[in-house]
Amino acid sequence: MSSQGSVCGMNPNTGRVVVRTEGGYTVMDVERGIVGPRDVLAGRISGPGRAILLNTSRDSSEVTVRVEVIDAALDVARALLHEDIEPDLARGCAEGVGTA
């Protein structure tokens, strides 16, 4: 399944990000590449595991991620973001905007 979404939450301590998509929230760990708040990631996500996405906000640079959960509810995505960070860093997911 091809999809795209906007980065709406980040944990700078772990490299984990939450991407808001049409189906919900996808939680992934960035293994390689640069991802920032509000960046749009696009590519094929078929399930948990490794995926190579394009960061269309940064000249379509490749980003290698490990997808943990697809189409999660907001509370699940926030919990998986590991809330050892300030609450404001995850708040953008509920508002539909990136924060960090």
Side-chain angles (χ1 to χ4, degrees), residues 7-18 27-29 37 76-93 98-100:
V7 175
C8 66
M10 298 181 70
N11 185 329
N13 299 325
T14 64
R16 182 160 281 189
V17 298
V18 175
V27 179
M28 56 185 72
D29 297 320
V76 172
R78 281 186 165 172
L80 291 172
L81 193 59
H82 299 298
E83 294 289 347
D84 59 336
I85 58 173
E86 297 175 35
D88 284 351
L89 295 178
R91 183 190 60 187
C93 288
T99 61

Side-chain angles (χ1 to χ4, degrees), residues 8-86:
C8 66
M10 298 181 70
N11 185 329
N13 299 325
T14 64
R16 182 160 281 189
V17 298
V18 175
V19 177
R20 185 175 185 178
T21 65
E22 283 186 17
Y25 299 89
T26 298
V27 179
M28 56 185 72
D29 297 320
V30 177
E31 294 182 341
R32 186 176 188 156
I34 298 173
V35 175
R38 297 184 196 96
D39 282 359
V40 175
L41 302 180
R44 183 169 171 82
I45 299 175
S46 57
R50 185 169 280 139
I52 297 175
L53 307 176
L54 296 179
N55 186 337
T56 62
S57 301
R58 298 182 188 259
D59 297 326
S60 294
S61 61
E62 286 190 353
V63 179
T64 303
V65 298
R66 177 157 305 278
V67 178
E68 293 294 321
V69 176
I70 298 172
D71 298 339
L74 178 59
D75 58 339
V76 172
R78 281 186 165 172
L80 291 172
L81 193 59
H82 299 298
E83 294 289 347
D84 59 336
I85 58 173
E86 297 175 35

